[in-house]
C-alpha cells in the first residue's frame, strides 16, 4: 500500500482491535520495532532503540522534519543489541560484534605449542633413556655379568615377565665316547691327543657302564698308537685293568719299543712253571735278552679274573716296581731303560724283530703317567679317585 508518493506506508492498527503489535507480533505489548515513537503507535512487542531508527521512512519531499533543517539527516547509529524477551524469538541483530582479542588468542596458542614442545621433548628424552638402559642391560648380559633389568617409575618392581631368570649356568656334557668321532676303530685319548687304532682281530665290547677292547690271542688281534706314549728315559707309570683267558705262553697287555725289541712290557707269562704277572724292561741296546730285567708276581690269581696291573720306573732311584691292584708285589734295580723309538702297543710285544705274546681277553682303563706313582696314588688309581695333582698324560677307555 502507498500513500500517493510511491513510498511504502506503515499501516495503522485498527483501533477497534485494541492496542496491539506490528506485523506478526503479539498484540498488547507496546513500544517495539515497527512503531513510531513520536506517534504513540504500538510496535512489535520488543523494546525500541533510544535513537531514531535509521531505517524509518523519509518524510515527503519539501516538507521539513520538525526539529531538523531541510535535507539534513542525522548520522545513522547502529541499534543496541536487543535482549530477547520471551516468548518472542530473538530478532537478528544489526549491531556490529566487538573485535576479538587477537593478542590473547596468540598468547594462548603459543602457550599451548610450548607445552606440546616440552611434552614431546620429555617423551623423547624418556625413550632415549629407556633404550640406552635396555642396550646396556643386554650388553652386560652378553658378557655374563648378572644385572637387574630397569624398572619404570609407574611400577616399583619389575613385572613377572621382567623378573631376572636364575637358571643354573649350563655346562657342556662331558664326552664319554670311547672312540674318536667318525672313527669307530680309533680309541679316543681322553688326556692327550694320541689315538690308538684297532687291528683287524681286535674289537670293542660295550657293557652297562664301560667299554672294553677285546683281543682274541691271534697275530692280527692288537691295537697300535701313532707314536711312543712314554719317555722311558724319565720316571713313568703305565697301568691297565686286565682280564686274561690264556693259561700258557707269554701274553702282553701293553708294550712299547721299536722294530727289533721292546723297551718295556706288562702282562702275563709262565715263569719257572708258574703263572705270573710280569713287568719287564730292556736295559741293553738292540734288545739283547741278557740285558732284560723283570719283576714277577706268581702268587696271585692270573687267569679269568680282573686285575689292575701297574708298572713304575723311578729314574732317580733306577728302580722298577710291579703293582697288582694297589699292592706292590716286587721291585728291581736297573741301570736304565733302552729307549726304543717305536709306538705304544696293546695286545702284543716285539721280540727279536717278531711280533709275539698276543693277548687273549679284554682290557680297559689304560693310562700313562709322566711320574712314578706311590702307594697312595695307586690306591686312588684303583678306586678311580685320583687327586687333582695326579693327572695322566694319556688315557683310553676310562
Amino acid at each position: 500500500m502507498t500513500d500517493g508518493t510511491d513510498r511504502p506506508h506503515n499501516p495503522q492498527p485498527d483501533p477497534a482491535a485494541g492496542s496491539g503489535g506490528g506485523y506478526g507480533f503479539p498484540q498488547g505489548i507496546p513500544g517495539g520495532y515497527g512503531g513510531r515513537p513520536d506517534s504513540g503507535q504500538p510496535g512489535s512487542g520488543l523494546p525500541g532503540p533510544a535513537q531514531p531508527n535509521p531505517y524509518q521512512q523519509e518524510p515527503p519531499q519539501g516538507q521539513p522534519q520538525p526539529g531538523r533543517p531541510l535535507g539534513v539527516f542525522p548520522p545513522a547509529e547502529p541499534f543496541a543489541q536487543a535482549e530477547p524477551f520471551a516468548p518472542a524469538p530473538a530478532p537478528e541483530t544489526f549491531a556490529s560484534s566487538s573485535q576479538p582479542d587477537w593478542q590473547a588468542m596468540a598468547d594462548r596458542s603459543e602457550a599451548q605449542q610450548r607445552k606440546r614442545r616440552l611434552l614431546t621433548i620429555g617423551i623423547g628424552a624418556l625413550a632415549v633413556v629407556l633404550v640406552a638402559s635396555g642396550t646396556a642391560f643386554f650388553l652386560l648380559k652378553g658378557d655374563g655379568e648378572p644385572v637387574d633389568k630397569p624398572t619404570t617409575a609407574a611400577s616399583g618392581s619389575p613385572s613377572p615377565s621382567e623378573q631376572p631368570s636364575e637358571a643354573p649356568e649350563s655346562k657342556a656334557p662331558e664326552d664319554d665316547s670311547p672312540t674318536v668321532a667318525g672313527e669307530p676303530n680309533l680309541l679316543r685319548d681322553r688326556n692327550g691327543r694320541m689315538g690308538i687304532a684297532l687291528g683287524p682281530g681286535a674289537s670293542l665290547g660295550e657293557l652297562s657302564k664301560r667299554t672294553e677292547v677285546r683281543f682274541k690271542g691271534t697275530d692280527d688281534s692288537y691295537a697300535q698308537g701313532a707314536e711312543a706314549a712314554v719317555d722311558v728315559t724319565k720316571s713313568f707309570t703305565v697301568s691297565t685293568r686286565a682280564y686274561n683267558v690264556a693259561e700258557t705262553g707269554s701274553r702282553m697287555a701293553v708294550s712299547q719299543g721299536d722294530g727289533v725289541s721292546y723297551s718295556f712290557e706288562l702282562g702275563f707269562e709262565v715263569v719257572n712253571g708258574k703263572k705270573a704277572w710280569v713287568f719287564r724292561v730292556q736295559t741293553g741296546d738292540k734288545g739283547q735278552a741278557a740285558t732284560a730285567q723283570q719283576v714277577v708276581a706268581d702268587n696271585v690269581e692270573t687267569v679269568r679274573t680282573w686285575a689292575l696291573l701297574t708298572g713304575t720306573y723311578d729314574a732317580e732311584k733306577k728302580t722298577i716296581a710291579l703293582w697288582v691292584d694297589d699292592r706292590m708285589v716286587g721291585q728291581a734295580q736297573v741301570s736304565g731303560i733302552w729307549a726304543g723309538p717305536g709306538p705304544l702297543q696293546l695286545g702284543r710285544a716285539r721280540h727279536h724283530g717278531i711280533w709275539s705274546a698276543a693277548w687273549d681277553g679284554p682290557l680297559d682303563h689304560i693310562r700313562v703317567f709322566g711320574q712314578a706313582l706311590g702307594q697312595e696314588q695307586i690306591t686312588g688309581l684303583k678306586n678311580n679317585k685320583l687327586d687333582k695333582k695326579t693327572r695322566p698324560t694319556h688315557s683310553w677307555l676310562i
Side-chain angles (χ1 to χ4, degrees):
M1 177 184 296
T2 61
D3 58 359
T5 60
D6 296 327
R7 287 190 297 263
H9 177 67
N10 290 332
Q12 298 296 324
D14 185 2
S19 64
Y23 295 112
F25 293 98
Q27 298 183 5
I29 301 177
Y33 290 119
R36 296 182 59 176
D38 56 350
S39 64
Q41 297 297 328
S44 65
L46 297 177
Q51 298 296 330
N53 188 349
Y55 296 96
Q56 183 176 332
Q57 299 292 333
E58 295 182 8
Q61 292 182 358
Q63 297 182 9
Q65 186 176 0
R68 283 198 311 237
L70 184 62
V72 178
F73 299 93
E77 295 184 8
F79 289 106
Q81 183 174 354
E83 295 182 3
F85 186 84
E92 182 181 1
T93 179
F94 294 94
S96 60
S97 61
S98 60
Q99 293 293 330
D101 190 346
W102 299 108
Q103 184 60 41
M105 293 175 64
D107 292 342
R108 286 195 300 271
S109 177
E110 183 178 357
Q112 292 176 355
Q113 291 179 2
R114 187 182 302 110
K115 289 180 180 180
R116 284 194 294 268
R117 286 195 300 269
L118 292 176
L119 181 60
T120 301
I121 293 173
I123 293 174
L126 179 60
V128 170
V129 170
L130 291 178
V131 170
S133 300
T135 302
F137 167 76
F138 284 113
L139 288 176
L140 289 177
K141 273 292 185 184
D143 290 338
E145 294 295 333
V147 295
D148 294 331
K149 292 186 177 181
T151 57
T152 60
S155 175
S157 60
S159 66
S161 62
E162 294 176 342
Q163 293 290 347
S165 62
E166 297 190 5
E169 182 181 355
S170 60
K171 295 182 179 179
E174 184 178 357
D175 185 2
D176 289 328
S177 59
T179 59
V180 175
E183 299 286 346
N185 292 321
L186 187 63
L187 300 183
R188 184 175 68 92
D189 187 351
R190 298 190 59 171
N191 290 91
R193 297 183 178 181
M194 192 185 79
I196 297 180
L198 301 182
S203 62
L204 291 178
E206 298 292 338
L207 303 177
S208 60
K209 295 182 179 180
R210 61 186 177 87
T211 303
E212 61 186 23
V213 58
R214 294 170 179 172
F215 302 94
K216 300 184 297 183
T218 58
D219 291 342
D220 65 348
S221 184
Y222 64 92
Q224 178 174 297
E227 58 189 3
V230 178
D231 183 356
V232 297
T233 65
K234 300 177 181 178
S235 297
F236 69 87
T237 298
V238 58
S239 178
T240 184
R241 232 169 53 104
Y243 187 92
N244 173 47
V245 177
E247 304 236 3
T248 62
S250 178
R251 310 288 177 172
M252 293 303 153
V254 186
S255 71
Q256 182 175 294
D258 70 350
V260 177
S261 185
Y262 60 90
S263 292
F264 70 83
E265 58 184 6
L266 175 67
F268 165 85
E269 192 168 69
V270 176
V271 179
N272 298 325
K274 293 182 179 180
K275 301 171 186 177
W277 298 120
V278 59
F279 178 52
R280 183 182 292 127
V281 298
Q282 189 67 255
T283 60
D285 291 342
K286 303 301 181 183
Q288 298 299 318
T291 62
Q293 186 60 265
Q294 64 185 15
V295 179
V296 176
D298 57 6
N299 57 350
V300 295
E301 289 293 330
T302 59
V303 180
R304 301 187 185 279
T305 182
W306 281 100
L308 178 65
L309 303 180
T310 304
T312 64
Y313 171 60
D314 188 329
E316 292 183 1
K317 296 180 179 180
K318 293 288 194 291
T319 58
I320 59 172
L322 173 62
W323 303 71
V324 178
D325 293 330
D326 60 345
R327 183 172 68 92
M328 188 174 70
V329 294
Q331 63 179 357
Q333 195 76 31
V334 297
S335 58
I337 299 177
W338 171 68
L344 186 75
Q345 303 287 333
L346 301 182
R348 67 179 181 177
R350 194 75 167 174
H351 294 92
H352 303 287
I354 300 173
W355 291 114
S356 59
W359 182 263
D360 191 1
L363 302 173
D364 65 12
H365 287 71
I366 305 157
R367 287 173 279 202
V368 173
F369 299 82
Q371 64 185 101
L373 301 185
Q375 178 66 66
E376 183 178 353
Q377 294 166 315
I378 291 181
T379 299
L381 186 65
K382 176 189 174 184
N383 299 325
N384 251 349
K385 295 181 179 179
L386 287 171
D387 59 75
K388 294 182 179 180
K389 295 181 180 180
T390 308
R391 292 181 59 84
T393 56
H394 301 280
S395 64
W396 302 270
L397 300 177
I398 302 302

